[in-house]
Amino acid sequence: MPIPKKVADRLSAGLKRFKPVLESAKSRDVNESDTSMIVTDMLADVFGFDKYNEITREYAIRGTYCDLATKIEGKLQTLIEVKAIGVDLRENHIKQAVDYAANQGVEWVVLTNGQIWKVFSVSFSKPITADLVLELDMLTLEHNDEDAQEDLFLLSKEGVQRSGLDAYNDQLRVRSRFNLAALIL
């Protein structure tokens, strides 16, 4: 999927700008609230969401709250569960994020500690499952790497509007070893 130059420039500049912020936050071992603030800024400055109209903090879900949610034209797109930057993202964190998505009927959920971003596609079959579609380490990505920009584009507002994650997930499914084995057999 071709990335518009303006968007590629924003992704590159944003990644370059936020790497030192993330490194500093990690070295200071900032808490979840401060990490959430950094993630909110990244959603706006890197990924292109309007901080005041398209990003919601503490999104209410059945008596509890998901840290962040993105909306485009009032439609909920992604739920984002944030952990402190020094916390390793574990299975119980994934379950928490997927439970939020399941309760809201949202297909895409992101689990992040600011440095690591894990993107899951939630399937509403019985039982509800979630597949890891994309994992990014913001501190290892290079701002001028085209592959990194393509991955970042999938999470951007423009990528969401073009259903980039859906298309990427479809490609992963088609190329899965199970589908390839079924075709061969």
Side-chain angles (χ1 to χ4, degrees), residues 19 53 80 145:
K19 275 179 98 168
N53 295 312
I80 303 165
D145 179 14

Side-chain angles (χ1 to χ4, degrees), residues 100-162:
Y100 289 147
N103 283 325
Q104 280 304 118
V106 176
E107 180 182 0
W108 294 103
V109 65
V110 176
L111 175 63
T112 184
N113 63 7
Q115 175 185 346
I116 306 295
W117 292 59
K118 292 185 176 194
V119 182
F120 295 89
S121 173
V122 178
S123 173
F124 296 97
S125 57
K126 298 262 182 190
I128 292 173
T129 60
D131 295 316
L132 179 65
V133 174
L134 183 65
E135 183 172 348
L136 302 172
D137 183 335
M138 296 297 181
L139 294 180
T140 63
L141 294 178
E142 294 299 326
H143 72 279
N144 55 359
D145 179 14
E146 287 183 24
D147 289 337
Q149 288 181 7
E150 287 177 12
D151 289 344
L152 292 171
F153 178 73
L154 296 173
L155 294 176
S156 72
K157 177 181 175 179
E158 296 83 2
V160 170
Q161 289 173 317
R162 292 184 183 180

Side-chain angles (χ1 to χ4, degrees), residues 56-115:
T56 301
R57 297 179 62 105
E58 298 297 322
Y59 186 80
I61 300 173
R62 294 192 180 185
T64 187
Y65 296 92
C66 183
D67 295 312
L68 298 166
T70 60
K71 294 180 178 184
I72 297 178
E73 296 178 7
K75 185 177 184 303
L76 188 60
Q77 299 293 324
T78 308
L79 294 175
I80 303 165
E81 182 61 21
V82 180
K83 299 300 175 192
I85 196 162
V87 171
D88 291 329
L89 303 176
R90 296 185 304 272
E91 194 64 35
N92 60 321
H93 300 137
I94 295 167
K95 183 182 178 339
Q96 177 187 11
V98 171
D99 286 349
Y100 289 147
N103 283 325
Q104 280 304 118
V106 176
E107 180 182 0
W108 294 103
V109 65
V110 176
L111 175 63
T112 184
N113 63 7
Q115 175 185 346

Side-chain angles (χ1 to χ4, degrees), residues 177-185:
R177 62 185 171 163
F178 302 110
N179 283 338
L180 293 175
L183 285 172
I184 291 170
L185 293 173

